[in-house]
Amino acid sequence: MYEGEGKKGEIYELKAELNSDKRDRKKEAVKKVIASMTVGKDVSQLFPDVVNCMQTDNLELKKLVYLYLMNYAKTQPEMAILAVNTFAKDCNDPNPLIRALAVRTMGCIRVDKITEHLCEPLRKCLKDEDPYVRKTAAVCVAKLYDINQQLVDDQGFLDMLRDLLSDSNPMVVANAVAALSEISEQSPQIKIFDLNGPTVNKLLTALNECTEWGQVFMLDAIANYAPRDDKEAQSICERITPRLAHANSAVVLSAVKVLMKFLELIDQNSEFAQNLFRKLAPPLVTLLSTEPEIQYVALRNINLIVQKRSDILKNEMKVFFVKYNDPIYVKLEKLDIMIRLTNATNIAQVLAELKEYATEVDVDFVRKAVRAIGRCAIKVEQAAERCVSTLIDLIQTKVNYVVQEAIIVIKDIFRKYPNKYESIIATLCENLDSLDEPEARASMIWIVGEYAERIDNADELLEGFLDGFKDENNQVQLQLLTAIVKLFLKKPTETPQELVTRVLTVVTQETDNPDLRDRGYIYWRLLSTDPKAAKEVILAEKPLISEETDLLEPTLLGELICHIGTLASVYHKPPNTFVEGRFMTKKNLPLRSGFSNNDGESMGNGAVPSNYQESVVISSNVGSLIDDFDILGPMPNAPTTTTDTLYGQSQQRAPSAIPNLLDDELSSILGTDINMGGVQTTPTTATTNTSAPASRLTTTATSGGNLLDDLFGDLNLSSGAPGISFSSTNTFVLPKEIWLTAQKGKGMEISGTFARRNNQIVMEMDFTNKALQPISDFALQINRNSFGLIPAQPLHVTSPLFPNQTVSATLALNTTGSIAKSDPLTNLQIAVKNNIDVFYFNAIVPIHVFFGSDGEMDKMAFLQTWQDIPESNEVKHQLQNSSNLSIDDLQNKLRLNNVHTITRTTIEQNEMLYQTIKLTNGIFVLIELKTSPGNRTIAFSLKTRVPEIANLIVQSYELILSTAQGAIRCVRYNIDGNYCLTSGSDRTIKLWKPDSNLTIKTYTGHSQEVLDVHSSYDNSRLCSGGGDKRVLYIDVMSGKIVKKYQAHAGRVQAVRFNEEGTLIFSASIDGTVKIWDVKSREYDPIQILDDAKDSVTSISLSGHEILTTSLDQRVRTYDIRFGKLTEDFIGHNLTYINISHDQQCFLVGTLSSQLMLFDKINGKLLQTFVDYTNNTYMIENALSNDDQFIYSGSEDGRLICWSLLTAKQVCAVEHEANNRKSVNTLSHHPKEDKLLTAQEGNIYIWSKTDNVEEKEEIKKSVVTEKKFVAPKFVSAGFE
Amino acid sequence: MIGGVFIYNHKGEVLISRVYRDDIGRNAVDAFRVNVIHARQQSRFPVVNIARTSFFYTKRSNIWLCAVAKQNINAAMVFEFLTKMIDIMQSYFGKISEENVKNNFVLIYELLDEILDFGYPQNSDTGVLKSFITQQGVRPVTREEQTNVTSAVTGQIGWRREGIKYRRNELFLDVIESVNLLMSQQGQVLSTHVAGRVVMKSYLSGMPECKFGINDKITVENRAKNQTDTSTNGSTNPSTTTTTKTAIAIDDCQFHQCVKLSKFESEHAISFIPPDGEFELMRYRTTKDISLPFRVIPLVREIGRTKMEVKVVVKSNFKPTLIGQKIEIRIPTPPNTCDVQLLCMKGKAKHKASDNAIVWKMKRMGGMKESQLSAEIELTPNDKKKWNRPPISMNFEVPFAPSGFKVRYLKVFEHKLNYSDSETIKWVRYIGKSGLYETRS
């Protein structure tokens, strides 16, 4: 078929055959056409004839025609239209193979006119019943995107593709992942493939059932996911580890990539991480028994992995020994890894091997082996001697390139171990003549120069080189020049002097190389003016060379680790160096600290925004910026005359820019010397070229100040999702105080506070614009301080900020910055920049945010440290236990703030607590607390090695003990009203006897705030749900968690028991209600009600009905008996539902400040209750037992009561005067006319006498000193 | 992803060229020819980057296989794919040769269309492909058959079709181990490992679920532990104590895609639904406690510049009742050898000048025996080039597993068709082979 070229009539003959009636001849003809096409012959004239053959039942012929079409359609677009009809027809063929074939081929025909016709068939095929067609269609979307992005966007194919991620067939999922990954790589600016927890979960499930290639696509996609926290990273790792045993090396490497990346997020010392490290080694070793090409890819990757984590393969040295038959590329790579793994224990083996390799034939390999021996010497000191003698042996072989290579490494050994091996110099000198490579010659000359005093004939040797000076390589010339000068300085005798003159003349007069000439002049001047100085300069001590000279630079290494398995990892180069033009995103290893805050915001694609590269490039300037800013601190002597001129430009505007926040001395310095504009001017550029700063200034001005944002890094912080919001409090947070008044901030007011959330120190700020024009371009910088606080990411404030608008911003802080003592210790100097100016102000950081979570200490260590710290450092104090906290509460409360209780004892009725605190800078504080019964003071004594902080700690204790523990999220009466349950943001549930203010029990087990709790009707069990997505089933008596359901994909909003206490209903913001059978052993729900289109906010049960409210503005009534669902569209976002006691009506709370009462049977709106505030939070409501009254909390701190019939407000009462904090939760007593409400950390009981409701306060963890006078009010409705 | 696949003959003529992506131009075909195949200096790496285009290639008996890409694609995957493609072609038409490629070019195009879509590898299981890509081009007739095919290509059990029936349910297990050894001339073991494969031929009806048990240390220990747990409840099993001794430590193992990896990870149980016919169930690697079947002791003396004396002793080191087969020892000789005098006690020895080696063959050799060969080699003195002595290599086959690997059980369950585990006929065979079995001389 390949023969018979060049015949004149060939095309003609083919044409005839193509139009033949006989099928076989037709097919043979098409085959011939394809054959010609393959060899590169132009057979495009046959287009119409070939397309004519398309209408056939013969699949093989069809495929051939399609192949032809793919090749030539582009050259003959008008003709290609002819094929459209057949494609459309084939897409409806009953045979799925043909449908798929048509879709597959259409996507490869890159003709615009055809593309338009592609959309309809493609849409159909994406929903085809046959998975084979769907998986083909998924890829076709990627093809289409490559041709016409706009079209894919417009037609909504991306959404359809995303839907395929949930397809039941794993291969469809795999292809959808592949297509989405590619598309999102092409357009990283749009978030096309937004990986989130549930999606990753889906992929992980599909992973088990996929083809090997599908597994690769999925693993590569998962590698781009940024886990929320270490727990998630860990669980993903666990599910991926089995992939390491896969036979396909690509699967293994991709799994390794995910693991290596996610390991960054996991505590390296944890058992899990260590275990994983152990599991990684065997699969990597196994890769070495595959095809040599795959071995090569594996070895290149192992090279990276070993550089990142050398201990993974530290015991596997032997597998990297070179085999005789290995291809050269495998050999070289193995050698490289061997050197990286060399250490004192295996050096003997390695050295024997290397010696063996040095006798091989391949020149490159031998050279590398010799060099490796030298590197071993530098790396392992104990072996240096052996290595040197091996090298000497090799030099004796006189093999030219071995000798040269040996001399190059010996030079390095000399530099590493000066004055140790110089005895071998003589041997080296013997080989002088055989050196013909510049590097070797230069090395030898360096040795001669360096040890000129020990080589008798050094002058002769150098003279020999000097004779052919002009023919030498540049490198050699430079070295020779220096060596001769060294010789002269060491032996200032006649010959050397003559040599020096000669060499200096040559280099200064006869050479064109500026480097050489300059060096010559410098030496000359040095020698002629000050020989002593010359000696100091030229014979100065050299810095020792480091062990690892050829390690990759860490950021590059990190990036390459993210590309394990890909070409980048093979080339050891970032992708943008070898991939063309496309918009490239740079990948980075995730950071362990602070990741919890950037929830897929900037790392959603594993890729950071494009400005990242920019920020890397100029990161050195950030340093100088900080330096500039440092002058603010206690360094008043910094400015010099040069800086004066340097910053001359900024002087004019500087004085006006300074708010009078800093003390006068500092501001005077600022006024004269400091560059205020946040403009980076590096002194070096300024000294060489005075016009440089000026141009810099203008560029920053035009680029709109955003530069500063870019400078500070790349991570943007998401600032809280709108809608129903709860603040989750980990440690206590002081209320925001005004840091910068509008007056000083030229209209910008900043108030803020510091907190520790998820073990990260954050700065929470409100920016208010009180000026008349919008403010934009915010940036923030912190001066050096005692604890090394620096922003972990740039400040992200929605800008512009319009007049009278307030936005909140949260900024995570690290404690890795440079440290300078500030006064007081916790003071922080902050600079905020916006488009108007730069403002400076001070803020005090409460010391408790520095309490680290890792401060626990062994008992013995505690005792030891306590004794070690001198008595004089002890600070004693009396703390007021004003709220009469029990010792448990005390301990709990302190624990939440990272004060760790080491031990607890009772001595003569006095309870003693021994506690430790570890500050982020590593300072330990040891504390003893003593409480005696009946005494409201706590004896406090403290020991630390740094007495300055003692007072701060005392203050923080006082603060912690006096503040409420956290907002109460939910209050509930039990079935008979004798007990009540509360839960709150302190992650606990408490059981109270409300009438006697008695806490009976505290239940723990949630890792985030508890949002709802319900007790079973027999009071034996509790169920609760919270922000941690869990539903807990708790035994009331023992407090044990009987069942823990990892129930939902989002926060659990409400939980209820059924009457028998056998089922738990849980509602979550993930839009589902799940029903759990507590008696069953299964941990899966027995039913999921997923009809809601948005978050489900509450549930109410009545007999056989389940009522739910949802933010999709509907009330859903599930009738269990009939299995019927009734939806009532309300038209408002619904927050809470209550069924009236006569079961006829339901009352719903809405986010539009109205309560609505509906008839349950026919859905008629009966009443609307208004005049309260409910726009943001979930405000609960209640009906009185006789259904006469309706109660609700309000966001302005009031409790409101309406008459049901008249819808008139009966009364509205404030909880506390002047406290307008929202009242979210309330519960009506099941029998009596009592109400339970909560505001912040206080719980209130309201009881209704005939005409009066009383309020009384339950002691909770609260409490301020003042006693509440229960406000009374007369209720008009009771008359 | 993969932008295109090319196949060339040794002269650099294109036999197959299939381009999947627009970014790969026609000139890519020539670029590879000019820069790699016709390059003056042989390229030293299996991946080359020419003008921002990466070429991945491998060579099989004079045929160049090359994949091109312009993106930063998964390199491991590309090479795995090329290997897989070679496997597929071999199973369709045998040896990869210019002749075969030319004769089957239509088939190859058809395969390439199926296994790569827009450069993404798709299902490449030979069994499945053969079910619908046939050289006859016959389409499946019934609708049912069509869905069978498509569900096989995309399905969860892509490697097995429904409705297989055999009169006799039979299975064969071959444990094939290759022993790799590198020994210094002093007789010190530098590195050794066993690469084992368990190859299964299954002729089973229906959708049988199999459970495979081996004497892997972890499994055995788990079992022993479980049993001691139960033994505290009263029952004891004396057999476990004996099995613990013979357990081996497997460094790493890999499974055919039919094995449920998650189950292996959690319970260390190897369970799977096997493909029909022959397949490689698992691969493993061990490095500890390997019994080396043979030992080669070389003695090389150079007498002057023109003469060498070589003496090689081979010792077999296994049970005397067993017999090793196909023993072949290759003793390299310098390229400037002009004459060799050979004397051996057993088998036949020959100097092969073309291979620069003495090849000593013995058909069989019993356990615990010893044999010797001595050779006098005369050299032509004028050759200046240094001779780096390549290692002495050895080939053999022995009827046991040098790692100590044992199949403990293979249970077959088929719930729908009523045949029980005891009715299936099972055959197990152990073969120990030489991998790279080298002794430096």
Side-chain angles (χ1 to χ4, degrees), chain B residues 80-116:
Chain B
E80 280 285 350
F81 173 78
L82 288 179
T83 327
K84 196 84 194 195
M85 201 175 123
I86 289 166
D87 289 348
I88 294 171
M89 291 199 289
Q90 273 170 345
S91 83
Y92 265 98
F93 51 76
K95 197 168 165 268
I96 310 259
S97 64
E98 187 174 347
E99 180 85 13
N100 276 343
V101 171
K102 275 184 174 177
N103 288 340
N104 290 289
F105 86 100
V106 175
L107 173 72
I108 295 176
Y109 275 126
E110 202 174 330
L111 284 170
L112 279 175
D113 194 42
E114 188 59 46
I115 54 181
L116 273 184

Side-chain angles (χ1 to χ4, degrees), chain B residues 238-305:
Chain B
S239 69
T240 46
T241 47
T242 52
T243 49
T244 331
K245 270 179 205 159
T246 55
I248 59 160
I250 289 182
D251 287 25
D252 186 30
C253 47
Q254 298 175 321
F255 296 99
H256 186 262
Q257 54 167 330
C258 66
V259 176
K260 292 164 188 155
L261 289 180
S262 40
K263 207 154 182 187
F264 179 73
E265 178 79 11
S266 57
E267 300 162 31
H268 247 266
I270 306 170
S271 64
F272 56 96
I273 296 170
D276 196 38
E278 183 172 334
F279 71 103
E280 189 182 278
L281 173 62
M282 86 180 265
R283 270 185 210 195
Y284 58 90
R285 192 166 51 79
T286 70
T287 45
K288 288 195 190 78
D289 302 327
I290 294 164
S291 64
L292 297 169
F294 290 96
R295 221 178 145 150
V296 177
I297 305 152
L299 197 76
V300 183
R301 261 196 325 152
E302 285 182 38
I303 307 166
R305 302 200 63 182

Side-chain angles (χ1 to χ4, degrees), chain A residues 877-880 953-963:
Chain A
H877 190 78
Q878 292 287 323
L879 289 174
Q880 291 299 318
I953 302 281
V954 173
Q955 280 169 22
S956 72
Y957 260 70
E958 281 176 338
L959 264 172
I960 292 170
L961 295 186
S962 66
T963 38

Side-chain angles (χ1 to χ4, degrees), chain A residues 2 38 63 74 130 132 143 169 175 182 213 245 249 282 286 293 323 329 362 364 565 567-568 571 579, chain B residues 15 21-22 44 52 54 58 72-73 75 80 109-110 114 117 120 122 124 150 154 252 254 285 436:
Chain A
Y2 283 74
T38 304
K63 282 182 181 170
K74 223 170 147 188
D130 195 294
Y132 181 72
K143 291 178 187 168
N169 187 298
N175 276 2
E182 173 155 3
W213 314 116
S249 63
T286 304
E293 290 90 5
K323 294 194 188 111
Y329 49 82
D362 189 288
D364 279 352
L567 269 176
Y571 294 146
V579 173
Chain B
L15 304 182
R21 299 235 163 185
D22 207 35
R44 317 203 95 196
R52 298 205 150 210
S54 296
T58 176
N72 176 32
I73 68 172
E80 280 285 350
Y109 275 126
E110 202 174 330
E114 188 59 46
D117 190 2
Y120 291 110
Q122 304 291 308
S124 52
T150 55
T154 61
D252 186 30
Q254 298 175 321
R285 192 166 51 79
L436 267 183

Side-chain angles (χ1 to χ4, degrees), chain A residues 1-2 31 34-35 37-40 57-58 60 63-64 67 70 74 93-98 101 104 110 129-132 135-136 139 142-143 146 168-171 175 178-179 182 208-209 211-213 216-217 220 241-243 245-250 253-254 279 282-283 285-286 291 293-294 296-297 318 321-325 328-329 353 356-357 359-362 364 563 565-568 570-571 575-582, chain B residues 1 14-18 20-23 26 44-49 51-60 69-77 79-81 83-84 102 105-106 109-110 113-114 116-118 120-124 132-137 139-140 143 146-147 149-151 153-156 180 182 185 189-191 193 195 251-257 261-262 264-265 283 285 385-386 388-391 436 438 440:
Chain A
M1 226 156 283
Y2 283 74
K31 278 190 189 176
I34 302 284
M37 190 178 87
T38 304
V39 234
D57 290 341
N58 187 315
E60 198 188 2
K63 282 182 181 170
L64 288 173
L67 190 62
M70 283 186 249
K74 223 170 147 188
D93 197 280
N95 185 343
L97 291 175
I98 292 190
L101 180 65
R104 190 161 62 214
R110 305 174 63 93
E129 55 174 18
D130 195 294
Y132 181 72
K135 71 123 186 161
T136 314
V139 177
K143 291 178 187 168
D146 195 36
S168 59
N169 187 298
M171 191 146 175
N175 276 2
E182 173 155 3
N208 293 324
E209 295 159 350
T211 63
E212 44 198 332
W213 314 116
V216 176
F217 306 151
D220 284 351
T241 324
R243 296 298 123 202
H246 202 282
N248 187 316
S249 63
L253 276 177
S254 292
K279 280 187 186 159
V285 172
T286 304
E291 310 286 325
E293 290 90 5
I294 298 173
Y296 174 68
V297 175
K318 277 188 181 176
F321 284 179
V322 169
K323 294 194 188 111
Y324 184 73
N325 291 327
I328 182 69
Y329 49 82
E353 279 295 307
E356 194 78 33
Y357 303 160
T359 62
E360 286 247 11
V361 270
D362 189 288
D364 279 352
H563 287 292
T566 67
L567 269 176
V570 175
Y571 294 146
N576 54 354
T577 56
F578 60 89
V579 173
E580 229 155 59
R582 288 246 175 82
Chain B
M1 277 303 125
V14 203
L15 304 182
I16 297 284
S17 113
R18 175 76 165 90
Y20 294 94
R21 299 235 163 185
D22 207 35
D23 53 4
R26 186 80 207 170
R44 317 203 95 196
F45 302 100
V47 190
V48 285
N49 194 322
R52 298 205 150 210
T53 311
S54 296
F55 295 81
F56 306 75
Y57 65 94
T58 176
K59 213 178 159 191
R60 289 297 141 99
K70 279 217 149 178
Q71 288 158 293
N72 176 32
I73 68 172
N74 194 320
M77 188 179 80
F79 280 121
E80 280 285 350
F81 173 78
T83 327
K84 196 84 194 195
K102 275 184 174 177
F105 86 100
V106 175
Y109 275 126
E110 202 174 330
D113 194 42
E114 188 59 46
L116 273 184
D117 190 2
F118 202 39
Y120 291 110
Q122 304 291 308
N123 196 327
S124 52
F132 71 106
I133 296 189
T134 50
Q135 279 164 292
Q136 284 77 41
R139 0 184 329 201
R143 221 192 144 86
Q146 287 165 8
T147 42
V149 165
T150 55
S151 72
V153 182
T154 61
Q156 303 185 353
N180 296 280
L182 186 62
Q185 56 258 70
V189 177
L190 294 175
S191 77
H193 76 270
D251 287 25
D252 186 30
C253 47
Q254 298 175 321
F255 296 99
H256 186 262
Q257 54 167 330
L261 289 180
S262 40
F264 179 73
E265 178 79 11
R283 270 185 210 195
R285 192 166 51 79
K385 219 182 174 187
K386 209 177 118 309
N388 70 311
R389 294 177 191 167
L436 267 183
E438 295 179 337
R440 287 183 179 154

